Amino acid sequence: MILSTAYFPPCEYFALLARGGEVQIEACESYRKQTWRNRCRILSPNGPLDLRVPVVHDGERLVSRIRVDWSTPWLRQTEYAIDTAYYSSPFFEYYRDELYALLDRRQEFLWDLNLDIIRLMCSKTGIAPRIVPTSDWQERAEEDWREAFSPKREAPFAVRPYWQVFRDRFGFVPGLSVMDLLFNEGPGSLSCLEVPEGVMPPAAR
């Protein structure tokens, strides 16, 4: 299975990781804007909200060499948005400090930031895939999920609905970052991370 890199990926991305085994994450593609590679979606008091990591535009295109732009106060704004959205969620206080400590490492490269986040979220949700960066670009790959998830369209499947802080205002909102699931369900998160039978990668259809 192969996936693109992502920043606080959607729950559905983690449902794939939860199947275990070796998972390749694409390190050799060209970086693309307006994707989950540098953004995620949370549920704020005003509805779904996208959080973005600004990157340095220096001509580099390889996704694993894209630098995070630390010249702007985006991290403080991101942490404020997360606090506002999840301070009343059941498990936020259990994960907040460790999560913010990870972000405060200020990784130079987006790739490394994303990988740190994915590994932490795997650990906290109780899954243990063997994550391997790709070593070369392949136009086609077996079980190719690299184009499955996008901010611009619904995911090819949804995880089982779970409790969300603002469900009384918006109902259940699918496609949110895995942090939404973790802050609301805590140790019970794993039970929601299932891929429905028969779902195929977009590239295989």
Side-chain angles (χ1 to χ4, degrees):
M1 178 169 60
I2 186 169
L3 290 158
S4 63
T5 185
Y7 172 69
F8 285 111
C11 295
E12 291 75 15
Y13 184 109
F14 275 81
L16 292 171
L17 294 180
R19 297 194 300 186
E22 181 176 296
V23 178
Q24 290 186 303
I25 297 186
E26 183 58 72
C28 302
E29 66 178 356
S30 293
Y31 173 74
R32 280 178 284 168
K33 302 176 183 178
Q34 299 182 15
T35 68
W36 291 137
R37 290 162 182 81
N38 75 319
R39 68 184 61 204
C40 68
R41 184 165 294 159
I42 65 173
L43 188 59
S44 78
N46 297 314
L49 173 68
D50 285 4
L51 304 178
R52 185 177 66 89
V53 178
V55 298
V56 176
H57 299 284
D58 58 2
E60 178 62 66
R61 297 302 303 164
L62 188 65
V63 71
S64 58
R65 304 303 296 173
I66 295 296
R67 287 178 168 83
V68 176
D69 185 357
W70 291 106
S71 68
T72 68
W74 71 268
L75 182 55
R76 184 171 70 250
Q77 295 165 356
T78 291
E79 291 177 348
Y80 177 78
I82 294 172
D83 282 344
T84 301
Y86 297 111
Y87 73 94
S88 64
S89 63
F91 297 96
F92 181 51
E93 64 181 272
Y94 293 96
Y95 303 112
R96 180 186 187 276
D97 291 347
E98 189 173 358
L99 176 60
Y100 287 2
L102 182 152
L103 295 175
D104 286 340
R105 294 176 192 168
R106 294 180 174 249
Q107 288 279 19
E108 179 181 3
F109 295 103
L110 178 67
W111 168 268
D112 294 322
L113 172 63
N114 289 354
L115 198 55
D116 282 351
I117 290 169
I118 289 169
R119 285 174 170 157
L120 177 64
M121 295 291 105
C122 283
S123 172
K124 298 307 177 185
T125 54
I127 62 179
R130 187 162 71 87
I131 295 173
V132 180
T134 60
S135 56
D136 53 51
W137 167 254
Q138 298 178 47
E139 188 68 32
R140 295 183 180 276
E142 186 176 352
E143 201 169 354
D144 189 344
W145 293 90
R146 287 176 292 183
E147 302 303 320
F149 306 108
S150 168
K152 300 178 181 180
R153 62 177 182 272
E154 292 184 1
F157 64 92
V159 298
R160 181 173 64 79
Y162 56 90
W163 190 91
Q164 292 176 333
V165 174
F166 303 110
R167 69 197 186 288
D168 56 331
R169 301 185 196 179
F170 308 110
F172 176 74
V173 179
L176 299 179
S177 166
V178 69
M179 78 171 102
D180 184 86
L181 172 63
L182 185 64
F183 294 155
N184 285 308
E185 292 289 340
S189 297
L190 182 58
S191 66
C192 301
L193 296 176
E194 295 181 358
V195 180
E197 289 188 16
V199 174
M200 299 290 291
R205 295 174 187 172

Short mmCIF file of all heavy atoms in Angstrom, two decimals, residues 27-73:
data_model
loop_
_atom_site.label_atom_id
_atom_site.label_comp_id
_atom_site.label_asym_id
_atom_site.label_seq_id
_atom_site.Cartn_x
_atom_site.Cartn_y
_atom_site.Cartn_z
N ALA A 27 7.81 9.72 -1.04
CA ALA A 27 8.82 10.74 -0.76
C ALA A 27 9.43 11.32 -2.02
O ALA A 27 10.23 12.26 -1.94
CB ALA A 27 9.93 10.13 0.10
N CYS A 28 9.04 10.79 -3.19
CA CYS A 28 9.73 11.14 -4.43
C CYS A 28 8.86 11.89 -5.44
O CYS A 28 9.25 12.08 -6.59
CB CYS A 28 10.30 9.88 -5.08
SG CYS A 28 11.44 8.99 -3.99
N GLU A 29 7.68 12.31 -5.02
CA GLU A 29 6.82 13.07 -5.92
C GLU A 29 7.14 14.55 -5.84
O GLU A 29 7.82 15.03 -4.93
CB GLU A 29 5.35 12.86 -5.54
CG GLU A 29 5.00 13.43 -4.17
CD GLU A 29 3.54 13.26 -3.81
OE1 GLU A 29 2.77 12.75 -4.64
OE2 GLU A 29 3.16 13.63 -2.69
N SER A 30 6.60 15.31 -6.79
CA SER A 30 6.68 16.77 -6.74
C SER A 30 5.61 17.28 -5.78
O SER A 30 4.48 16.77 -5.76
CB SER A 30 6.46 17.38 -8.13
OG SER A 30 7.53 17.05 -8.99
N TYR A 31 5.99 18.27 -4.99
CA TYR A 31 5.05 18.85 -4.03
C TYR A 31 3.91 19.54 -4.77
O TYR A 31 4.12 20.19 -5.79
CB TYR A 31 5.79 19.87 -3.16
CG TYR A 31 4.89 20.66 -2.24
CD1 TYR A 31 4.34 20.08 -1.11
CD2 TYR A 31 4.57 21.99 -2.52
CE1 TYR A 31 3.51 20.79 -0.27
CE2 TYR A 31 3.75 22.72 -1.68
CZ TYR A 31 3.22 22.11 -0.56
OH TYR A 31 2.40 22.83 0.27
N ARG A 32 2.70 19.40 -4.22
CA ARG A 32 1.53 20.06 -4.81
C ARG A 32 0.80 20.88 -3.76
O ARG A 32 0.64 20.43 -2.62
CB ARG A 32 0.59 19.02 -5.42
CG ARG A 32 1.05 18.56 -6.79
CD ARG A 32 0.14 17.52 -7.36
NE ARG A 32 0.37 16.23 -6.73
CZ ARG A 32 -0.45 15.20 -6.87
NH1 ARG A 32 -1.56 15.32 -7.59
NH2 ARG A 32 -0.19 14.04 -6.30
N LYS A 33 0.37 22.05 -4.16
CA LYS A 33 -0.34 22.95 -3.26
C LYS A 33 -1.79 22.50 -3.08
O LYS A 33 -2.31 21.70 -3.84
CB LYS A 33 -0.33 24.38 -3.81
CG LYS A 33 1.05 24.95 -4.05
CD LYS A 33 0.93 26.33 -4.69
CE LYS A 33 2.29 26.91 -5.03
NZ LYS A 33 2.18 28.23 -5.70
N GLN A 34 -2.43 23.06 -2.05
CA GLN A 34 -3.86 22.87 -1.79
C GLN A 34 -4.22 21.38 -1.66
O GLN A 34 -5.21 20.91 -2.21
CB GLN A 34 -4.69 23.54 -2.88
CG GLN A 34 -4.47 25.04 -2.96
CD GLN A 34 -5.33 25.73 -3.99
OE1 GLN A 34 -6.30 25.15 -4.49
NE2 GLN A 34 -4.99 26.95 -4.32
N THR A 35 -3.38 20.66 -0.93
CA THR A 35 -3.64 19.25 -0.64
C THR A 35 -3.45 19.03 0.86
O THR A 35 -3.03 19.94 1.59
CB THR A 35 -2.67 18.33 -1.43
OG1 THR A 35 -1.34 18.53 -0.90
CG2 THR A 35 -2.69 18.65 -2.92
N TRP A 36 -3.70 17.80 1.30
CA TRP A 36 -3.49 17.48 2.71
C TRP A 36 -2.01 17.40 3.05
O TRP A 36 -1.65 17.21 4.21
CB TRP A 36 -4.15 16.15 3.06
CG TRP A 36 -5.64 16.12 3.07
CD1 TRP A 36 -6.43 15.13 2.55
CD2 TRP A 36 -6.56 17.07 3.64
NE1 TRP A 36 -7.76 15.41 2.75
CE2 TRP A 36 -7.86 16.61 3.42
CE3 TRP A 36 -6.39 18.29 4.30
CZ2 TRP A 36 -9.00 17.29 3.83
CZ3 TRP A 36 -7.51 18.99 4.71
CH2 TRP A 36 -8.80 18.49 4.49
N ARG A 37 -1.12 17.57 2.07
CA ARG A 37 0.31 17.51 2.37
C ARG A 37 0.72 18.59 3.36
O ARG A 37 1.64 18.39 4.14
CB ARG A 37 1.11 17.61 1.07
CG ARG A 37 0.99 16.36 0.20
CD ARG A 37 1.42 16.63 -1.23
NE ARG A 37 1.26 15.44 -2.07
CZ ARG A 37 0.10 15.05 -2.62
NH1 ARG A 37 -1.02 15.75 -2.37
NH2 ARG A 37 0.05 13.98 -3.37
N ASN A 38 0.06 19.73 3.31
CA ASN A 38 0.42 20.80 4.26
C ASN A 38 -0.80 21.43 4.94
O ASN A 38 -0.73 22.55 5.42
CB ASN A 38 1.24 21.90 3.57
CG ASN A 38 0.41 22.80 2.69
OD1 ASN A 38 -0.48 22.33 1.97
ND2 ASN A 38 0.69 24.09 2.72
N ARG A 39 -1.90 20.69 4.99
CA ARG A 39 -3.08 21.22 5.69
C ARG A 39 -3.90 20.09 6.27
O ARG A 39 -3.77 18.93 5.88
CB ARG A 39 -3.93 22.08 4.76
CG ARG A 39 -4.63 21.35 3.63
CD ARG A 39 -5.37 22.35 2.75
NE ARG A 39 -4.44 23.30 2.15
CZ ARG A 39 -4.77 24.53 1.72
NH1 ARG A 39 -6.00 24.95 1.81
NH2 ARG A 39 -3.85 25.31 1.20
N CYS A 40 -4.76 20.46 7.22
CA CYS A 40 -5.66 19.49 7.83
C CYS A 40 -6.98 20.19 8.14
O CYS A 40 -7.08 21.42 8.06
CB CYS A 40 -5.06 18.89 9.10
SG CYS A 40 -4.90 20.06 10.47
N ARG A 41 -7.98 19.41 8.51
CA ARG A 41 -9.31 19.97 8.78
C ARG A 41 -9.76 19.54 10.18
O ARG A 41 -9.75 18.36 10.51
CB ARG A 41 -10.31 19.51 7.73
CG ARG A 41 -11.70 20.12 7.87
CD ARG A 41 -12.49 19.88 6.58
NE ARG A 41 -11.88 20.62 5.47
CZ ARG A 41 -12.07 20.32 4.17
NH1 ARG A 41 -12.82 19.28 3.84
NH2 ARG A 41 -11.48 21.03 3.23
N ILE A 42 -10.14 20.53 10.98
CA ILE A 42 -10.68 20.27 12.31
C ILE A 42 -12.11 20.80 12.36
O ILE A 42 -12.58 21.45 11.42
CB ILE A 42 -9.82 20.92 13.41
CG1 ILE A 42 -9.86 22.45 13.31
CG2 ILE A 42 -8.39 20.39 13.34
CD1 ILE A 42 -9.15 23.16 14.48
N LEU A 43 -12.80 20.53 13.48
CA LEU A 43 -14.16 21.03 13.65
C LEU A 43 -14.13 22.10 14.73
O LEU A 43 -13.95 21.82 15.91
CB LEU A 43 -15.11 19.90 14.04
CG LEU A 43 -16.60 20.27 14.06
CD1 LEU A 43 -17.06 20.78 12.69
CD2 LEU A 43 -17.44 19.09 14.50
N SER A 44 -14.31 23.35 14.30
CA SER A 44 -14.28 24.49 15.21
C SER A 44 -15.70 24.83 15.67
O SER A 44 -16.68 24.27 15.15
CB SER A 44 -13.67 25.70 14.50
OG SER A 44 -14.62 26.31 13.63
N PRO A 45 -15.86 25.75 16.61
CA PRO A 45 -17.21 26.16 17.02
C PRO A 45 -18.04 26.73 15.88
O PRO A 45 -19.27 26.75 15.96
CB PRO A 45 -16.94 27.22 18.09
CG PRO A 45 -15.58 26.90 18.62
CD PRO A 45 -14.81 26.38 17.46
N ASN A 46 -17.36 27.17 14.80
CA ASN A 46 -18.06 27.74 13.65
C ASN A 46 -18.15 26.78 12.47
O ASN A 46 -18.59 27.17 11.39
CB ASN A 46 -17.36 29.03 13.20
CG ASN A 46 -17.40 30.10 14.27
OD1 ASN A 46 -18.44 30.35 14.88
ND2 ASN A 46 -16.27 30.74 14.52
N GLY A 47 -17.74 25.54 12.69
CA GLY A 47 -17.81 24.55 11.61
C GLY A 47 -16.43 24.08 11.20
O GLY A 47 -15.42 24.42 11.82
N PRO A 48 -16.34 23.28 10.12
CA PRO A 48 -15.05 22.78 9.67
C PRO A 48 -14.08 23.92 9.37
O PRO A 48 -14.46 24.95 8.78
CB PRO A 48 -15.41 22.01 8.39
CG PRO A 48 -16.83 21.59 8.60
CD PRO A 48 -17.47 22.73 9.32
N LEU A 49 -12.84 23.72 9.79
CA LEU A 49 -11.81 24.75 9.64
C LEU A 49 -10.52 24.10 9.17
O LEU A 49 -10.05 23.13 9.77
CB LEU A 49 -11.57 25.46 10.98
CG LEU A 49 -10.40 26.45 11.05
CD1 LEU A 49 -10.68 27.67 10.19
CD2 LEU A 49 -10.14 26.85 12.50
N ASP A 50 -9.94 24.63 8.09
CA ASP A 50 -8.67 24.12 7.59
C ASP A 50 -7.50 24.87 8.22
O ASP A 50 -7.51 26.11 8.27
CB ASP A 50 -8.60 24.24 6.07
CG ASP A 50 -9.44 23.20 5.35
OD1 ASP A 50 -10.15 22.43 6.02
OD2 ASP A 50 -9.39 23.16 4.11
N LEU A 51 -6.53 24.12 8.71
CA LEU A 51 -5.29 24.68 9.26
C LEU A 51 -4.17 24.36 8.27
O LEU A 51 -4.08 23.24 7.77
CB LEU A 51 -4.97 24.06 10.62
CG LEU A 51 -6.06 24.17 11.68
CD1 LEU A 51 -5.62 23.47 12.96
CD2 LEU A 51 -6.38 25.64 11.97
N ARG A 52 -3.31 25.35 8.02
CA ARG A 52 -2.30 25.20 6.96
C ARG A 52 -0.91 25.47 7.50
O ARG A 52 -0.71 26.37 8.31
CB ARG A 52 -2.62 26.18 5.83
CG ARG A 52 -1.74 26.06 4.60
CD ARG A 52 -2.19 27.02 3.52
NE ARG A 52 -1.99 28.41 3.94
CZ ARG A 52 -0.86 29.10 3.72
NH1 ARG A 52 0.16 28.52 3.10
NH2 ARG A 52 -0.75 30.34 4.11
N VAL A 53 0.05 24.70 7.02
CA VAL A 53 1.46 24.94 7.29
C VAL A 53 2.05 25.71 6.11
O VAL A 53 2.07 25.19 4.99
CB VAL A 53 2.24 23.62 7.45
CG1 VAL A 53 3.72 23.91 7.70
CG2 VAL A 53 1.68 22.79 8.58
N PRO A 54 2.52 26.95 6.29
CA PRO A 54 3.12 27.68 5.18
C PRO A 54 4.48 27.07 4.85
O PRO A 54 5.21 26.61 5.74
CB PRO A 54 3.27 29.10 5.72
CG PRO A 54 3.35 28.94 7.20
CD PRO A 54 2.50 27.75 7.54
N VAL A 55 4.82 27.05 3.57
CA VAL A 55 6.10 26.49 3.15
C VAL A 55 6.91 27.54 2.40
O VAL A 55 6.37 28.53 1.91
CB VAL A 55 5.89 25.24 2.25
CG1 VAL A 55 5.16 24.14 3.03
CG2 VAL A 55 5.14 25.58 0.98
N VAL A 56 8.20 27.30 2.34
CA VAL A 56 9.11 28.22 1.67
C VAL A 56 9.09 27.94 0.17
O VAL A 56 9.26 26.80 -0.25
CB VAL A 56 10.55 28.05 2.22
CG1 VAL A 56 11.52 28.94 1.46
CG2 VAL A 56 10.59 28.34 3.71
N HIS A 57 8.91 28.97 -0.62
CA HIS A 57 8.89 28.82 -2.08
C HIS A 57 10.26 29.22 -2.63
O HIS A 57 10.50 30.36 -3.01
CB HIS A 57 7.78 29.68 -2.67
CG HIS A 57 6.42 29.31 -2.18
ND1 HIS A 57 5.74 28.20 -2.62
CD2 HIS A 57 5.61 29.90 -1.26
CE1 HIS A 57 4.56 28.12 -2.00
NE2 HIS A 57 4.47 29.13 -1.16
N ASP A 58 11.17 28.25 -2.66
CA ASP A 58 12.55 28.53 -3.09
C ASP A 58 12.94 27.76 -4.35
O ASP A 58 14.11 27.63 -4.67
CB ASP A 58 13.53 28.20 -1.96
CG ASP A 58 13.43 26.74 -1.51
OD1 ASP A 58 12.62 25.99 -2.09
OD2 ASP A 58 14.16 26.36 -0.58
N GLY A 59 11.96 27.24 -5.06
CA GLY A 59 12.23 26.51 -6.29
C GLY A 59 12.33 25.01 -6.10
O GLY A 59 12.31 24.25 -7.08
N GLU A 60 12.45 24.55 -4.87
CA GLU A 60 12.51 23.11 -4.60
C GLU A 60 11.14 22.50 -4.85
O GLU A 60 10.12 23.05 -4.45
CB GLU A 60 12.94 22.88 -3.16
CG GLU A 60 12.99 21.41 -2.73
CD GLU A 60 13.97 20.59 -3.53
OE1 GLU A 60 15.19 20.84 -3.42
OE2 GLU A 60 13.49 19.71 -4.29
N ARG A 61 11.11 21.33 -5.51
CA ARG A 61 9.83 20.69 -5.82
C ARG A 61 9.67 19.32 -5.16
O ARG A 61 8.55 18.86 -4.99
CB ARG A 61 9.68 20.52 -7.35
CG ARG A 61 9.65 21.83 -8.10
CD ARG A 61 8.53 22.74 -7.64
NE ARG A 61 7.22 22.12 -7.74
CZ ARG A 61 6.12 22.57 -7.13
NH1 ARG A 61 6.19 23.61 -6.33
NH2 ARG A 61 4.97 21.96 -7.29
N LEU A 62 10.76 18.66 -4.80
CA LEU A 62 10.65 17.33 -4.22
C LEU A 62 9.97 17.42 -2.87
O LEU A 62 10.39 18.18 -1.99
CB LEU A 62 12.05 16.71 -4.06
CG LEU A 62 12.09 15.24 -3.63
CD1 LEU A 62 11.48 14.34 -4.71
CD2 LEU A 62 13.52 14.82 -3.34
N VAL A 63 8.90 16.66 -2.66
CA VAL A 63 8.08 16.79 -1.46
C VAL A 63 8.88 16.61 -0.18
O VAL A 63 8.61 17.26 0.83
CB VAL A 63 6.88 15.82 -1.52
CG1 VAL A 63 7.32 14.37 -1.34
CG2 VAL A 63 5.82 16.20 -0.50
N SER A 64 9.86 15.74 -0.20
CA SER A 64 10.64 15.48 1.01
C SER A 64 11.66 16.58 1.32
O SER A 64 12.29 16.55 2.38
CB SER A 64 11.37 14.13 0.90
OG SER A 64 12.22 14.11 -0.24
N ARG A 65 11.79 17.57 0.43
CA ARG A 65 12.74 18.66 0.64
C ARG A 65 12.05 20.02 0.77
O ARG A 65 12.72 21.06 0.77
CB ARG A 65 13.78 18.72 -0.50
CG ARG A 65 14.54 17.43 -0.72
CD ARG A 65 15.26 16.96 0.53
NE ARG A 65 16.31 17.88 0.96
CZ ARG A 65 16.98 17.78 2.08
NH1 ARG A 65 16.71 16.79 2.93
NH2 ARG A 65 17.94 18.65 2.39
N ILE A 66 10.75 20.02 0.90
CA ILE A 66 10.00 21.27 1.06
C ILE A 66 10.18 21.76 2.50
O ILE A 66 9.93 21.03 3.46
CB ILE A 66 8.51 21.06 0.76
CG1 ILE A 66 8.32 20.69 -0.71
CG2 ILE A 66 7.70 22.31 1.11
CD1 ILE A 66 8.74 21.77 -1.70
N ARG A 67 10.59 23.02 2.64
CA ARG A 67 10.86 23.59 3.97
C ARG A 67 9.63 24.27 4.54
O ARG A 67 8.86 24.90 3.81
CB ARG A 67 12.01 24.59 3.89
CG ARG A 67 13.37 23.96 3.69
CD ARG A 67 14.48 25.00 3.56
NE ARG A 67 15.78 24.37 3.65
CZ ARG A 67 16.40 23.78 2.62
NH1 ARG A 67 15.80 23.76 1.44
NH2 ARG A 67 17.59 23.22 2.79
N VAL A 68 9.47 24.15 5.84
CA VAL A 68 8.41 24.87 6.56
C VAL A 68 8.84 26.33 6.72
O VAL A 68 10.00 26.63 7.01
CB VAL A 68 8.18 24.24 7.94
CG1 VAL A 68 7.14 25.03 8.73
CG2 VAL A 68 7.76 22.78 7.81
N ASP A 69 7.90 27.23 6.52
CA ASP A 69 8.17 28.66 6.70
C ASP A 69 7.91 29.04 8.16
O ASP A 69 6.76 29.23 8.56
CB ASP A 69 7.29 29.48 5.76
CG ASP A 69 7.61 30.97 5.81
OD1 ASP A 69 8.47 31.37 6.61
OD2 ASP A 69 7.00 31.73 5.03
N TRP A 70 8.98 29.18 8.92
CA TRP A 70 8.85 29.53 10.33
C TRP A 70 8.92 31.04 10.57
O TRP A 70 9.00 31.48 11.71
CB TRP A 70 9.94 28.82 11.14
CG TRP A 70 9.75 27.34 11.23
CD1 TRP A 70 10.45 26.37 10.57
CD2 TRP A 70 8.77 26.64 12.01
NE1 TRP A 70 9.97 25.13 10.88
CE2 TRP A 70 8.94 25.26 11.77
CE3 TRP A 70 7.76 27.05 12.88
CZ2 TRP A 70 8.15 24.29 12.38
CZ3 TRP A 70 6.97 26.09 13.49
CH2 TRP A 70 7.16 24.73 13.24
N SER A 71 8.89 31.82 9.49
CA SER A 71 8.98 33.27 9.65
C SER A 71 7.64 33.91 10.01
O SER A 71 7.58 35.09 10.33
CB SER A 71 9.50 33.92 8.36
OG SER A 71 8.56 33.80 7.30
N THR A 72 6.57 33.13 9.96
CA THR A 72 5.23 33.62 10.29
C THR A 72 4.76 32.95 11.58
O THR A 72 5.25 31.87 11.94
CB THR A 72 4.23 33.32 9.16
OG1 THR A 72 4.04 31.89 9.09
CG2 THR A 72 4.76 33.80 7.81
N PRO A 73 3.80 33.55 12.29
CA PRO A 73 3.33 32.98 13.57
C PRO A 73 2.27 31.89 13.41
O PRO A 73 1.36 31.77 14.23
CB PRO A 73 2.76 34.20 14.29
CG PRO A 73 2.23 35.05 13.18
CD PRO A 73 3.20 34.87 12.03
#
